[in-house]
């Protein structure tokens, strides 16, 4: 995966020891059901990324890269099908704020690494909020702690963020 940060690109490379990080969903997200209003605009929502607290962020991490996926819809089920966002890491405990969907205009400290792979009326310049129309699709996020050289220091895969 190639990351673009402030005009420079980084290649992610595999790290060694993994799985010391943990994540706590916040802001009404419980990993079971997508909160009301957090779906895409096509289905009456104004969704944002789920706010998360990441603990155990490895020393040297400068970014937490979050790749959002819809595990129930194969074309958007992996590699950030619903978009990939990088958040600045801020110590061993880093809070990732809720960021607006459907845009690549994000506040300082966050940026779109890859827009959602959706197209047509579902196209998004950044994160695509859950957009299955309430069919019960399972939404997840893959989280990677990355150092300034692009090396993945730790990661968590398939963290459930909710069904919609």
């Amino acid at each position: 995966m190639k990351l673009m940060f402030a005009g420079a690109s980084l290649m992610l490379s595999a790290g060694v020891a993994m799985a010391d990080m943990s994540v706590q969903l916040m802001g009404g997200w419980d990993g079971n059901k997508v909160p009301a209003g957090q779906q895409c605009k096509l289905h009456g929502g104004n969704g944002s990324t789920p706010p998360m607290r990441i603990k155990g962020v490895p020393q040297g991490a400068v970014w937490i890269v979050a790749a959002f996926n819809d595990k129930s819809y194969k074309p958007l089920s992996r590699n950030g099908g619903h978009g990939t966002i990088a958040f600045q890491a801020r110590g061993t405990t880093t809070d990732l704020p809720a960021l607006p969907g459907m845009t690549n205009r994000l506040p300082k400290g966050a940026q779109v690494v890859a827009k959602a792979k959706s197209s047509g009326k579902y196209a998004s310049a950044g994160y695509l909020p859950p957009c299955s129309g309430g069919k019960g699709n399972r939404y997840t996020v893959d989280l990677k702690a990355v150092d300034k050289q692009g090396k993945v220091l730790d990661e968590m895969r398939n963290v459930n963020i909710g069904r919609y």
Side-chain angles (χ1 to χ4, degrees):
M1 175 187 306
K2 191 172 189 175
L3 304 178
M4 298 295 290
F5 298 124
S9 65
L10 295 173
M11 291 297 290
L12 290 183
S13 60
V16 281
M18 300 286 176
D20 289 333
M21 289 192 311
S22 65
V23 62
Q24 175 187 355
L25 297 173
M26 299 166 31
W29 293 80
D30 64 8
N32 296 312
K33 184 177 180 186
V34 172
Q38 293 302 322
Q39 72 274 17
C40 68
K41 290 181 183 186
L42 289 170
H43 296 284
N46 193 22
S48 302
T49 61
M52 296 176 262
R53 175 164 289 151
I54 312 297
K55 293 183 178 179
V57 176
Q59 185 174 0
V62 296
W63 296 102
I64 302 295
V65 178
F68 297 93
N69 299 294
D70 176 349
K71 292 307 213 181
S72 302
Y73 182 63
K74 191 167 185 162
L76 304 179
S77 65
R78 59 190 188 90
N79 300 325
H82 271 251
T84 302
I85 308 291
F87 300 81
Q88 282 185 332
R90 294 188 167 95
T92 58
T93 298
T94 295
D95 287 339
L96 309 184
L99 297 175
M102 307 303 289
T103 183
N104 59 3
R105 301 187 80 166
L106 301 178
K108 185 177 179 182
Q111 57 191 320
V112 174
V113 174
K115 68 181 184 173
K117 294 174 173 67
S118 51
S119 61
K121 64 183 180 180
Y122 297 96
S124 173
Y127 167 70
L128 173 64
C131 212
S132 64
K135 296 177 183 174
N137 288 23
R138 183 171 70 102
Y139 293 89
T140 66
V141 63
D142 296 333
L143 298 162
K144 295 180 181 184
V146 179
D147 71 10
K148 63 183 176 182
Q149 285 81 35
K151 179 180 175 187
V152 176
L153 303 175
D154 201 351
E155 66 181 324
M156 293 179 288
R157 293 191 164 277
N158 296 313
V159 175
N160 287 321
I161 58 174
R163 287 189 177 270
Y164 171 70

